[in-house]
Amino acid sequence: MMRIAVLTPLPPVRSGIAGYAELLLPALARHANVVAVVDQPSHVAPAGVEVIGIDRFRAGSDQWDAVIGQMGNNPYHDFIWEEAVAKPMYVVLHDLVLHHLIVERTLAKDDAAGYEQLVRASHGEPAAAFARGRALGFHGEIGNFLFPSSSDLARRSKGVIVHNEWAGRRLREEGVESPIIVTGHPVDQSAAIPSGEERRALRERLGVLERERLIGIFGFVTDAKRPAAIFEAFGLARRKEPGLRLLVVGEPAPNIDLRALAKLNGLPDGSWIATGYVADEEFDLYLSAADRVISLRYPSAGEMSGPLIRAFRIGRPVAVSAVAQFAELPSSVAEQIPIVESETEALAHFMVRDFPAGLGESQQQWLREHASLEGTVSDYLRALRGDNDIPEIESVSGSIPLLIRFDVERFVLQASGGDVRLSIRLRSRSDTLFRAAAYGEPALRFVLKGFDEDRMVFDRWLQPRSDIAPGGAYEADVALPESARDLRFTIEPAVEGIPPFLPATPPLVTGGEQ
């Protein structure tokens, strides 16, 4: 049987990856001889899995058929970074962004030269220039996301496992040639879902009435989870529905002042609750107490949220940022919230609106297809066999084409009564990935225009929710005014904030396949 060493934090370390490993390793151990390797003073051993310290691992490092490192973006994973750089292994990138870990390894120890060296290794001279500026005190949070600093580690690895296609494509753009496997973030379907009585007891303990709607945000609170936008939206929503309460489950980062955010938005004490850190075994109970869950990421570190997956399992309406990996989620399981533009209004609407029946069934179906524990174990074993899910890019261009070239594969206009809907599918003919939206970059859009003879009657901006790869398709179903049934149309590409300058596509015939 294959012998596998898995370097990872384990409970009681306050890390979502520790809980992930506690769930995954016993299932992986049914297919291989698995040993967990830790660097912490105490641990909770996963069922049926031997746990050894990092020193013992180093003393017998040649006895393993495969070594897997669970990499996250905090100091709990520092020992894994050291081993992965010293000797190639299979790396699970829970976060595409490892910049914060690199800062802890270098700048936090007054090692400016080491910091510059590490970011240059992933991103070249632009990142090195940024590093020199930061070492001199010039810093903005944007740099952590513009220079994720994980690609050098990925290039050194025997294989890489990520939890969404977006992260895999970003690594390819950075010149990573190692095999990349995309797997789901597993959920423990065998765990008991808190009962209605347990939910009511916790809400009573929190001082939340049954008739009040509780909005929850979960996990370590950083700027990227948009707490300022959430508190602002909550203030707007409470003007329409005073019976709303906000629940913050998790520690805030040192630069996040929840009380100041509440005061800024006129939120009285008692309208919001902050629990601080909550142990993993209580997380589902707090999720069940919430009526809505918000899981925003902008800018995105490329991770898949564990609390989000668990919210699906419990069957709660969830709001996510319509960007990066979360744009891959279908509207049947999560509400897509636009980033920056109209973000607070969309969030406020999410907090107060009702949701149709059947949401929980859609989320359960998605979990069965994308988040099964057995599927994740199978994907780990595929990674060890050298399989690959993300095609390699033949060449990485030094510049990015401004506009996408595309074909119109479907253009169907349907009218029923006073309702007019347009169904379209566009296929990319470009050899470059076009991003729907990325931090620090303008978003690709399509402009649909309707004409009455030579007079433009209306235009509609269509923004893809996910990136469009070479040969990939964009599909949309658009509601149009009743007058549209007699119009002719054009579709042209555009980039947010840049005036269009190319001629539109040839006129499209309405009412039929193109």
Side-chain angles (χ1 to χ4, degrees):
M1 184 176 283
M2 179 179 284
R3 298 163 300 171
I4 302 174
V6 181
L7 280 62
T8 182
L10 288 174
V13 166
R14 293 184 175 185
S15 162
I17 297 173
Y20 171 103
E22 186 180 29
L23 171 65
L24 174 72
L25 296 187
L28 184 61
R30 291 195 286 269
H31 301 268
N33 181 3
V34 175
V35 172
V37 181
V38 300
D39 185 21
Q40 56 192 78
S42 63
H43 63 266
V44 177
V49 175
E50 181 185 3
V51 181
I52 65 173
I54 185 62
D55 291 338
R56 181 176 163 190
F57 167 80
R58 288 168 178 160
S61 59
D62 294 334
Q63 65 180 292
W64 313 105
D65 298 310
V67 178
I68 300 173
Q70 302 281 350
M71 278 302 307
N73 193 27
N74 61 55
Y76 297 129
H77 304 267
D78 189 70
F79 77 104
I80 304 171
W81 174 281
E82 289 184 4
E83 295 302 315
V85 169
K87 189 173 183 179
M89 64 174 66
Y90 297 89
V91 171
V92 184
L93 281 179
H94 290 266
D95 301 292
L96 180 71
V97 174
L98 297 181
H99 201 122
H100 306 78
L101 172 62
I102 284 174
V103 168
E104 291 296 326
R105 289 184 55 83
T106 55
L107 283 183
K109 301 175 181 178
D110 295 324
D111 183 9
Y115 174 60
E116 180 179 339
Q117 178 183 359
L118 286 178
V119 296
R120 178 192 280 112
S122 282
H123 304 291
E125 288 309 313
F130 169 84
R132 290 191 292 271
R134 179 163 181 174
L136 293 173
F138 298 96
H139 173 55
E141 190 69 11
I142 184 175
N144 296 332
F145 296 90
L146 291 179
F147 305 113
S149 303
S150 58
S151 54
D152 180 58
L153 180 66
R155 292 186 203 111
R156 295 168 179 263
S157 301
K158 293 182 176 180
V160 181
I161 299 173
V162 294
H163 289 101
N164 55 81
E165 291 186 8
W166 180 83
R169 293 196 304 269
R170 286 292 305 272
L171 290 172
R172 286 285 183 250
E173 292 173 42
E174 295 287 349
V176 174
E177 298 179 353
S178 307
I180 299 175
I181 289 293
V182 180
T183 190
H185 189 297
V187 64
D188 184 5
Q189 291 283 22
S190 66
I193 293 178
S195 66
E197 182 178 343
E198 290 173 315
R199 164 190 156 91
R200 286 189 293 273
L202 176 58
R203 286 172 67 101
E204 182 177 345
R205 196 163 79 237
L206 295 171
V208 178
L209 302 177
E210 194 58 33
R211 68 173 182 271
E212 293 179 312
R213 177 174 290 173
L214 187 60
I215 313 296
I217 59 177
F218 295 83
F220 187 61
V221 185
T222 65
D223 273 326
K225 293 185 179 180
R226 312 296 290 164
I230 293 171
F231 271 75
E232 182 181 355
F234 182 67
L236 291 174
R238 272 180 59 88
R239 295 172 197 169
K240 295 182 179 179
E241 191 175 316
L244 290 179
R245 304 282 295 278
L246 182 64
L247 175 67
V248 183
V249 180
E251 289 180 297
N255 64 324
I256 303 296
D257 188 336
L258 300 178
R259 187 164 295 280
L261 289 176
K263 184 177 180 180
L264 178 65
N265 291 285
L267 300 175
D269 290 344
S271 66
W272 63 285
I273 306 160
T275 67
Y277 173 77
V278 168
D280 185 73
E281 57 268 20
E282 294 186 280
F283 228 76
D284 284 353
L285 179 59
Y286 280 87
L287 280 166
S288 72
D291 300 295
R292 301 278 190 277
V293 174
I294 296 176
S295 183
L296 304 185
R297 297 291 192 282
Y298 183 69
S300 170
E303 79 279 30
M304 182 53 72
S305 166
L308 168 69
I309 299 296
R310 292 164 75 163
F312 284 172
R313 178 172 174 267
I314 291 173
R316 293 293 180 265
V318 176
V320 298
S321 296
V323 66
Q325 72 275 24
F326 292 117
E328 298 174 12
L329 296 172
S331 58
S332 59
V333 302
E335 178 134 334
Q336 299 278 346
I337 302 297
I339 52 176
V340 184
E341 182 182 354
S342 72
E343 180 182 34
T344 53
E345 292 82 359
L347 276 173
H349 181 61
F350 168 80
M351 293 177 186
V352 300
R353 84 175 185 90
D354 293 324
F355 283 82
L359 174 66
E361 288 84 351
S362 297
Q363 291 172 331
Q364 286 296 325
Q365 179 64 30
W366 187 91
L367 289 176
R368 285 191 290 271
E369 295 175 359
H370 300 280
S372 75
L373 181 58
E374 295 77 12
T376 301
V377 169
S378 175
D379 290 333
Y380 269 61
L381 296 176
R382 287 199 303 117
L384 300 184
R385 292 196 300 266
D387 290 359
N388 178 60
D389 291 338
I390 305 294
E392 294 184 19
I393 298 174
E394 291 186 3
S395 62
V396 179
S397 174
S399 61
I400 300 176
L402 186 59
L403 294 177
I404 190 171
R405 293 178 290 116
F406 64 95
D407 294 319
V408 180
E409 290 189 341
R410 183 176 69 237
F411 188 94
V412 179
L413 196 69
Q414 295 180 326
S416 176
D419 294 330
V420 179
R421 301 199 72 84
L422 173 65
S423 174
I424 64 172
R425 180 170 62 239
L426 311 178
R427 180 75 61 180
S428 171
R429 289 191 289 108
S430 297
D431 56 5
T432 300
L433 174 75
F434 279 83
R435 295 202 183 107
Y439 197 62
E441 298 180 7
L444 168 69
R445 294 179 176 179
F446 295 99
V447 184
L448 173 71
K449 296 181 179 180
F451 293 86
D452 182 0
E453 295 184 350
D454 293 331
R455 181 174 63 90
M456 189 179 74
V457 177
F458 76 92
D459 64 350
R460 183 72 56 83
W461 286 76
L462 308 178
Q463 182 164 345
R465 286 184 171 177
S466 58
D467 300 340
I468 302 178
Y474 164 62
E475 299 186 64
D477 184 62
V478 187
L480 298 178
E482 186 175 2
S483 61
R485 66 180 71 205
D486 299 318
L487 300 179
R488 65 182 179 87
F489 296 89
T490 62
I491 299 178
E492 55 193 84
V495 175
E496 182 180 1
I498 299 176
F501 59 88
L502 291 182
T505 58
L508 302 171
V509 180
T510 62
E513 292 282 349
Q514 299 294 310

